[in-house]
Amino acid sequence: MFYRETSETKLNVNGVMLNAYPDSVGTRLIDIIELLKRPEFKDVFSLFYILPTFFNSDLDRGFSIIDYDLNKSLVSTSDLEDLKELGIKLKFDIVLNHLSVASPQFQDLLVHGNDSKYKDFFINWNSFWEGNGKVNDNGIIIPDKVHLDKLFMRKSGLPILNVPFPDGTLQPYWNTFYQKINYNLIDIQDLKRITSLTQEEKSNICDAVNDNIIKGKNPYEANFNCTEVVATEVKCVIANKANILGQMDVNAQSELVWEFYEDTLSKLKNYGCSIVRLDAFAYLHKAVGKANFFNTPGTWEYLKRIKSIAKKNNLTLLPEIHAEHGLGLHKEVSNEGYHIYDFFLPGLIIHTLEEQSCNVLLRWIDEILLNKYKTINMLGCHDGIPVLDLKGKETNGIYHDGLLEDDDIESIMNIILERGGRVKNIYDSEGNKISYYQINATYFSALGENEQKLLLARAIQLFMPGIPQIWYLDLFAGTNDYDAVEKAGQGGHKEINRTTLSVEDVNDRLKTEVVSCQLKMIRFRNTFIAFNGNLEVIKKNDKHFSLKWVNKNHWAELKVGLDTLQFSIAYSDGDNDKTLQF
């Protein structure tokens, strides 16, 4: 099987992409830039995916955007000038599905309520489901079962966050992803506007609420021993005193949302952006009677519209989507002309190395070549190692195979868990786990902290078709950070793979063979002209295969022996055959 790289399939000729937060090394983006200026990093990277703490944000390590202005505590305009001087193209996120509670738009809604300019910018859960469900004791509409069963949940329970309105009511707003509420104790003075209560009744309510808060229970479920109207007023007091963070789903039927997208993409272009990752785009389109994940044709219509905005700004779009391989969404997105993430590769390489068999990996490469997918691949990233993506899927009564059988996926999960990983799951509307989603671990720890396995995994990644994206912590052979997980508390599983490295850490690790060998391979991939040519896949047997790139009289070949974990990289510059020395 052959594959030819063309200008249409490449975002950047030979480009290898670094991936990090602005403060992943040192304390500010300038520390990474100084690293990229060092001789060890000369010609190593052509692109840099900077994660969204680059902007002003407050939750989910950057993915709860307040606004798309520069986060001046981490980034400066001179940083952007330095990156331009280095010739490094930039990739940023636009988080299409949601904005922070602290965003100017949502704050305006909290202040002005139904009189806010942004009343329809976000999705009032009860307004959305009106006429299609029943109101429960808490005033929340529970959608009819026929609708509820179609909802795809990223956390347990309904995807809502109750927020206080100026009229004294609590309003449920759609909140697919993260929320964090820190309740503060209340006192009698906080209840002074509730004139129907006696001082003793106010004191009893404060005691009941505060007792729940101290015990870590839901303060809204305290026994207020009052009328329903008064109870609602008390709940608003609780909400107003709480510190509320949340990623609030936007309503893409509002033209104000599309004006916001227009302004944001223009702003990203002015920062020097070339590639825009569409975070959580598959959740954006919502309609009664449809799933809240990649429902059609609405999702395609939104993608087409955002693509037209990107085209005006000369931006390449990269839709981010996690779904079972058997569902075929990766192929659909690719067929529409978009680049896709190769979320399958991380798990497939672990399977390949642990089972000492290249069969499934080569089958996936064949699929990429046959369908001419334009991919960005990776080993580790700021999220976990995807496992849901490897599964098969039944649609319309027909089962479509995944890349791996469920037993093989379970085996990968068990191996990573035994090596200290954490699991992220997805849920139904009642809070029951319905599937696993991803495993959180550094890729090095997922490989048993075996340096030879990491080097072989990196070599395979670099010889795959598409653009290799390199997570900074993998480059420096980072291990699972359990202290960070514990410090982050509930929902802090992702911090296992987000260790901030000091400049001293980097200096020490640059002296290690596992880092220097990776840098040598990445530089080779980033600069050698053969990777602009054709890819040939050569299978000798289950344990031995080669990936060979040929461009006229230049070629580069990776030979792999899975039984010994040994590999070699040979190449020709047109005059002499050589071997890449480590």
Side-chain angles (χ1 to χ4, degrees):
M1 182 70 73
F2 291 88
Y3 175 75
R4 179 171 179 79
E5 290 283 10
T6 69
S7 58
E8 288 75 28
T9 60
K10 294 286 284 183
L11 293 176
N12 195 50
V13 175
N14 286 327
V16 179
M17 184 185 301
L18 175 64
N19 180 202
Y21 290 97
D23 57 347
S24 288
V25 174
T27 59
R28 292 172 56 89
L29 181 58
I30 186 61
D31 293 312
I32 296 180
I33 293 172
E34 290 302 318
L35 186 68
L36 294 174
K37 291 179 180 179
R38 293 175 59 160
E40 298 96 324
F41 283 84
K42 180 176 173 55
D43 296 328
V44 171
F45 295 110
S46 296
L47 304 114
F48 187 3
Y49 171 25
I50 310 178
L51 287 156
T53 49
F54 182 92
F55 313 114
N56 293 313
S57 61
D58 61 4
L59 191 66
D60 193 21
R61 194 70 185 270
F63 286 90
S64 182
I65 301 290
I66 296 173
D67 61 51
Y68 285 88
D69 293 339
L70 297 183
N71 176 0
K72 293 182 180 178
S73 67
L74 299 179
V75 182
S76 71
T77 53
S78 62
D79 294 337
L80 301 179
E81 293 168 3
D82 286 344
L83 288 167
K84 183 178 181 180
E85 185 70 23
L86 286 168
I88 292 179
K89 295 185 178 181
L90 301 179
K91 169 184 161 188
F92 293 122
D93 284 277
I94 179 172
V95 185
L96 289 180
N97 182 70
H98 46 264
L99 275 176
S100 168
V101 163
S103 66
Q105 296 88 344
F106 203 83
Q107 286 298 301
D108 190 271
L109 179 64
L110 293 180
V111 171
H112 298 106
N114 289 325
D115 294 326
S116 171
K117 172 184 178 181
Y118 298 101
K119 176 179 179 293
D120 297 321
F121 196 96
F122 301 92
I123 304 173
N124 184 301
W125 176 269
N126 281 357
S127 298
F128 183 92
W129 292 108
E130 187 174 1
N132 293 282
K134 296 181 180 179
V135 179
N136 69 6
D137 293 340
N138 294 317
I140 308 298
I141 292 180
I142 306 300
D144 296 332
K145 190 174 188 302
V146 65
H147 302 310
L148 197 59
D149 288 346
K150 293 178 180 178
L151 295 184
F152 184 88
M153 304 295 188
R154 291 294 302 266
K155 59 189 178 188
S156 61
L158 292 176
I160 59 173
L161 178 63
N162 283 309
V163 295
F165 260 37
D167 62 0
T169 62
L170 280 176
Q171 296 292 328
Y173 272 79
W174 205 312
N175 167 237
T176 296
F177 292 87
Y178 286 97
Q179 61 177 250
K180 184 178 181 180
I181 305 174
N182 292 320
Y183 293 106
N184 296 307
L185 301 180
I186 66 172
D187 56 36
I188 291 176
Q189 190 66 18
D190 295 319
L191 305 178
K192 64 181 180 181
R193 294 188 178 180
I194 308 179
T195 56
S196 60
L197 294 175
T198 66
Q199 289 295 99
E200 182 179 357
E201 288 171 331
K202 291 178 182 178
S203 179
N204 290 337
I205 288 173
C206 288
D207 289 343
V209 168
N210 291 341
D211 185 60
N212 272 25
I213 292 174
I214 291 169
K215 292 179 179 178
K217 297 180 180 179
N218 188 341
Y220 297 135
E221 296 176 357
N223 183 9
F224 301 143
N225 196 23
C226 59
T227 66
E228 185 176 334
V229 172
V230 172
T232 298
E233 292 182 83
V234 173
K235 290 177 181 179
C236 278
V237 169
I238 296 170
N240 276 309
K241 285 210 70 176
N243 298 317
I244 300 176
L245 299 174
Q247 296 163 296
M248 311 311 297
D249 290 36
V250 301
N251 173 23
Q253 294 186 33
S254 166
E255 283 304 309
L256 285 177
V257 170
W258 289 96
E259 290 176 17
F260 174 74
Y261 291 159
E262 290 258 11
D263 291 343
T264 299
L265 289 184
S266 176
K267 185 174 291 186
L268 298 188
K269 180 63 179 178
N270 288 335
Y271 292 150
C273 181
S274 295
I275 309 160
V276 177
R277 176 181 181 269
L278 303 181
D279 182 74
F281 85 94
Y283 296 88
L284 182 62
H285 190 275
K286 298 176 178 70
V288 174
K290 296 274 192 176
N292 61 322
F293 178 81
F294 212 104
N295 65 60
T296 57
T299 299
W300 291 120
E301 292 168 355
Y302 285 172
L303 265 179
K304 183 177 180 180
R305 189 168 179 182
I306 200 76
K307 188 175 183 179
S308 69
I309 302 172
K311 187 176 181 180
K312 288 190 296 185
N313 291 281
N314 195 29
L315 295 168
T316 297
L317 295 183
L318 176 63
E320 179 251 1
I321 181 168
H322 284 281
E324 298 91 341
H325 177 272
L327 192 60
L329 280 182
H330 63 287
K331 186 174 183 178
E332 289 187 51
V333 173
S334 176
N335 286 345
E336 292 295 322
Y338 296 96
H339 288 77
I340 61 172
Y341 264 124
D342 184 353
F343 285 127
F344 311 103
L345 185 64
L348 287 182
I349 287 183
I350 293 174
H351 171 80
T352 298
L353 299 184
E354 297 299 328
E355 297 298 321
Q356 296 186 12
S357 172
C358 63
N359 291 334
V360 182
L361 175 66
L362 299 192
R363 189 168 77 241
W364 168 235
I365 295 175
D366 284 349
E367 182 181 335
I368 295 174
L369 308 186
L370 180 65
N371 293 281
K372 299 180 180 178
Y373 297 154
K374 298 172 290 186
T375 62
I376 292 180
N377 60 55
M378 69 197 70
L379 298 181
C381 66
H382 70 280
D383 271 340
I385 298 169
V387 286
L388 169 74
D389 306 67
L390 298 168
K391 289 171 62 69
K393 181 73 172 181
E394 182 177 316
T395 56
N396 299 320
I398 301 174
Y399 184 80
H400 301 274
D401 290 334
L403 287 167
L404 292 176
E405 300 293 334
D406 285 352
D407 287 347
D408 293 325
I409 298 173
E410 289 285 349
S411 177
I412 291 174
M413 292 176 62
N414 290 334
I415 287 170
I416 300 175
L417 289 173
E418 288 169 4
R419 293 169 177 170
R422 301 287 192 265
V423 180
K424 169 68 176 176
N425 299 312
I426 54 176
Y427 301 85
D428 64 17
S429 58
E430 297 178 351
N432 302 308
K433 187 188 88 170
I434 57 175
S435 184
Y436 42 78
Y437 183 61
Q438 61 187 21
I439 306 285
N440 294 101
T442 72
Y443 207 78
F444 185 45
S445 289
L447 293 173
E449 298 176 12
N450 183 311
E451 293 186 359
Q452 186 60 29
K453 284 184 178 179
L454 180 60
L455 291 175
L456 177 52
R458 179 70 70 212
I460 293 172
Q461 181 205 8
L462 293 172
F463 272 74
M464 289 288 294
I467 296 174
Q469 178 176 291
I470 311 293
W471 182 235
Y472 77 101
L473 201 55
D474 293 342
L475 176 60
F476 292 105
T479 57
N480 288 343
D481 192 340
Y482 304 112
D483 289 341
V485 173
E486 294 303 317
K487 184 178 180 180
Q490 185 178 5
H493 49 277
K494 292 182 180 180
E495 297 306 312
I496 201 170
N497 186 33
R498 297 175 175 178
T499 306
T500 297
L501 300 176
S502 68
V503 175
E504 291 73 19
D505 289 333
V506 169
N507 288 335
D508 289 340
R509 298 186 191 200
L510 281 171
K511 300 172 186 176
T512 64
E513 186 175 353
V514 69
V515 175
S516 63
C517 288
Q518 286 188 81
L519 287 173
K520 184 170 289 189
M521 286 191 288
I522 296 169
R523 182 181 295 107
F524 179 68
R525 172 64 179 83
N526 193 54
T527 59
F528 195 55
I529 195 172
F531 292 98
N532 282 341
N534 302 319
L535 173 62
E536 180 182 358
V537 181
I538 306 162
K539 180 182 176 183
K540 185 175 181 181
N541 53 48
D542 290 354
K543 299 182 186 298
H544 297 86
F545 68 97
S546 299
L547 301 176
K548 185 175 184 179
W549 287 88
V550 180
N551 184 8
K552 297 181 180 177
N553 58 346
H554 289 69
W555 57 264
E557 182 175 16
L558 169 68
K559 291 186 177 181
V560 176
L562 295 173
D563 50 349
T564 61
L565 298 178
Q566 298 301 308
F567 67 93
S568 64
I569 296 175
Y571 65 99
S572 174
D573 58 8
D575 296 320
N576 301 295
D577 294 353
K578 303 177 182 179
T579 301
L580 194 65
Q581 300 295 328
F582 299 108

